[in-house]
Amino acid sequence: MAKEYNGSPKHHHRLEVKRNRLTWILGISFLCILFYVLGAWQRSSTPTTTQFSAYNRGGCDSHVTTSDNGNAAVGHPSSTNLDFASHHQVVLNSSKTVNQFPSCDMSFSEYTPCQDKVRGRKFDRNMLKYRERHCPAKEELLRCLIPAPPQYKTPFKWPQSRDYAWYSNIPHRELSIEKAIQNWIQLEGNRFRFPGGGTMFPRGADAYIDDIGRLIPLTDGTIRTAIDTGCGVASFGAYLLNRNILTMSFAPRDTHEAQVQFALERGVPAMIGIMGSQRLPYPARAFDLAHCSRCLIPWQNYDGLYLAEVDRILRPGGFWVLSGPPIHWKKFWRGWERTREDLKQEQDAIEDVAKSLCWKKVIEKNDLSVWQKPINHVECLRSKKLLKAPHMCESDDPDTAWYSHWCPSCSCFLLDTYSDNIHIVHCGLIFLSSFVLKRYRNLEACVTPLPEVSSSDDVAGGAIKKWPERAYAVPPRIRSGSTPGITAERFEEDNKFWKERLAHYKRIISPLPTGRYRNIMDMNAYLGGFAAAMLNYPVWVMNVVPINSNHDTLGVIYERGLIGTYQDWCEAFSTYPRTYDLIHASGLFTLYQNRCDITYILLEMDRILRPEGTVIFRDTVELLVKIQSITDGMRWKSQIMDHESGPFNPEKILVAVKTYWTGEATQKQL
């Protein structure tokens, strides 16, 4: 019987047709991919002229012209590669009318939403609560653009800005009159001059800092981060920069009009703040040095509450420097217009509080007194009965200054519906009306416990390398595993990423390396990699860690020798308008898109950004298109660009520039 044979010619023909069809499909697909890549490469290698060139008056590079108002005009961010629009068929400008935001009235030119003086008068004056943060309710939020003063000018470049500022930018003469004999500030023609004086350093800040440097090490890299309470115009912090010490200066918005505004106009780190009833927005063990020069804080009152807060934010082994009354009262009491008994009682009370915190008195010389915090609490706990120490704080997280709540039953962060100092929280569709919680953490008259150590010679929390090595050394919080989810390997990778990204930023924002920018803010700083990559430039970076971030990394940032603060971006930042030259926002709107209206976040960015300042957004293309549609109505010019790794990365970059415009002069100004 013959064997059946199934391989008929007809069957072979069908197989051949299928193979040919598959070959054609694969071939055409390959060619499509090849031509797409070649087209992207060709486009990215061809320099293009962008819409930014007409919107910069910074005057820092070789292409400088002069504008009608006397400001320098330069070419701004130029897209030399990776232009998003050429690679993607996305309609960036829809046919819908752009919602144009009007200018606010000139009376709002220096508006600080959460430190508004009118709103503050409604609150208790006890412990200066009326000067703390009291943010407007949702219905009070402004939907207009804060105007710059008439004849606003680009600030002086650093380091000249340390000594000079334009009067037209901050038209306030009060301090130049009130503090004339103390050399805080002087008005010379159309500009202010800052001689470097202060209430307690008539010979100038440099000489005053030299006096401190003879008592504690200021130049060997041991001290890198400092905090100046009641900073005035921040001359102390300005001159510490010569010693590679980065200072967080703060002062309230009070009768000394525009102290913090002057500091930021000078290019010196500062923010509005006060020692009142709430914790400062910084993590525990943040600062190497704390300073008070006649800052008028009643350190001895409220069971030592304010010194306990300094103890919380001071690093193990850190120093506290106090000058002015009541220090060395036996010599200076006549000039202070107070009785000897009153001054002695105050200094004795301060000494008692310092002892109860286990601080060691290092030295008292002339009008300076220096204490040092212990490197651990081993000896303090052994001798607490002798020292009559207050109890240890029972808080499970000494870093928290701003609440971020987690709802275990509904697996999401509780969202804010708030007014002033309380908020009602809800989670998704679940409204928890019984929850009425304080949004800021109150001060506690207790000792913040330091991490445990195995020996009295060990530094609690881990020793930190000296500056500048500490900028890139693995921080102790990461080495010890106390920052969940962050490993040493991840830290190293983040540093590498930001070096590459900064190189890309230099290509798309031409003035970046030229000194065009001085005050920079990173709105979602993570590990501070962006700020660390900027260390070689004449800039400083305010590293902001949003309170609802997945990781609380602000302590890591301080351990690197950088500075920053906590912030809820559903609220305004504690600064004056027009105080930042460059704002960086990486992944911020992914974090906040379902938490509050991002329009108000963008309006806040416009408030704190200088005219012709720049913003760099990094986010998904869908969010960037939405952001661009809003900023188009804010008088910004912007362009979406591809990720530095190429067009196939889903993350994109939006570079935006705030255009120059000012408000109209009022009759009083005329």
Side-chain angles (χ1 to χ4, degrees), residues 547-559:
I547 61 163
N548 55 320
S549 297
N550 292 330
H551 304 283
D552 181 357
T553 53
L554 193 55
V556 169
I557 288 169
Y558 273 96
E559 288 181 341

Side-chain angles (χ1 to χ4, degrees), residues 570-607:
C570 291
E571 296 181 355
F573 192 75
S574 292
T575 191
Y576 284 83
R578 302 173 298 281
T579 45
Y580 285 89
D581 307 299
L582 174 67
I583 298 176
H584 186 262
S586 177
L588 181 78
F589 289 87
T590 292
L591 192 64
Y592 277 91
Q593 63 178 327
N594 297 319
R595 193 162 184 267
C596 54
D597 188 346
I598 67 170
T599 300
Y600 290 111
I601 300 179
L602 291 167
L603 287 170
E604 173 63 4
M605 295 170 73
D606 182 83
R607 184 185 74 88

Side-chain angles (χ1 to χ4, degrees), residues 80-100:
T80 57
N81 54 14
L82 299 178
D83 177 22
F84 169 84
S86 65
H87 302 147
H88 301 271
Q89 299 299 316
V90 175
V91 180
L92 298 181
N93 296 312
S94 66
S95 59
K96 295 172 64 177
T97 303
V98 174
N99 180 25
Q100 298 290 339

Side-chain angles (χ1 to χ4, degrees), residues 277-294:
S277 65
Q278 300 162 356
R279 277 187 176 181
L280 297 174
Y282 316 117
R285 312 193 313 277
F287 298 98
D288 307 310
L289 171 69
H291 172 258
C292 164
S293 173
R294 203 166 190 171

Side-chain angles (χ1 to χ4, degrees), residues 122-262:
K122 302 175 183 177
F123 293 88
D124 191 355
R125 301 183 71 86
N126 181 44
M127 297 182 72
L128 301 178
K129 292 177 182 178
Y130 72 106
R131 288 183 180 166
E132 294 177 330
R133 286 178 60 88
H134 302 292
C135 298
K138 186 175 181 179
E139 61 272 13
E140 298 177 278
L141 296 176
L142 299 180
R143 290 188 69 92
C144 55
L145 306 177
I146 302 297
Q151 301 180 345
Y152 178 89
K153 297 181 180 181
T154 300
F156 292 94
K157 283 176 58 176
W158 183 267
Q160 191 180 14
S161 66
R162 186 193 69 179
D163 302 321
Y164 295 99
W166 295 115
Y167 172 76
S168 58
N169 290 8
I170 311 178
H172 291 287
R173 305 170 186 264
E174 294 89 340
L175 277 175
S176 64
I177 299 171
E178 185 178 345
K179 300 292 183 180
I181 63 173
Q182 296 170 7
N183 277 331
W184 279 29
I185 180 174
Q186 297 175 357
L187 180 59
E188 298 178 348
N190 64 347
R191 65 183 184 180
F192 290 110
R193 184 170 72 88
F194 302 90
T199 307
M200 292 308 301
F201 30 97
R203 294 179 295 122
D206 246 347
Y208 173 79
I209 293 170
D210 286 340
D211 290 342
I212 296 175
R214 296 184 185 97
L215 308 178
I216 58 177
L218 289 182
T219 58
D220 67 351
T222 301
I223 296 174
R224 165 63 181 174
T225 56
I227 185 167
D228 188 15
T229 55
C231 64
V233 295
S235 288
F236 179 72
Y239 283 87
L240 273 179
L241 288 168
N242 294 340
R243 283 85 170 170
N244 280 323
I245 297 175
L246 194 57
T247 306
M248 177 69 78
S249 300
F250 73 86
R253 178 166 186 167
D254 62 2
T255 54
H256 294 169
E257 193 69 50
Q259 294 179 89
V260 168
Q261 192 175 15
F262 276 122

Side-chain angles (χ1 to χ4, degrees), residues 220-221 224 244 465-471 535 560-562:
D220 67 351
R224 165 63 181 174
N244 280 323
K465 293 190 179 295
K466 292 185 177 182
W467 183 262
E469 289 79 11
R470 69 188 276 187
L535 285 173
R560 301 188 70 173
L562 309 171

Side-chain angles (χ1 to χ4, degrees), residues 100-131:
Q100 298 290 339
F101 293 91
S103 170
C104 301
D105 186 82
M106 271 302 299
S107 62
F108 289 96
S109 180
E110 294 179 357
Y111 183 50
T112 54
C114 296
Q115 283 88 13
D116 182 63
K117 290 186 289 186
V118 176
R119 183 181 299 106
R121 295 191 190 107
K122 302 175 183 177
F123 293 88
D124 191 355
R125 301 183 71 86
N126 181 44
M127 297 182 72
L128 301 178
K129 292 177 182 178
Y130 72 106
R131 288 183 180 166

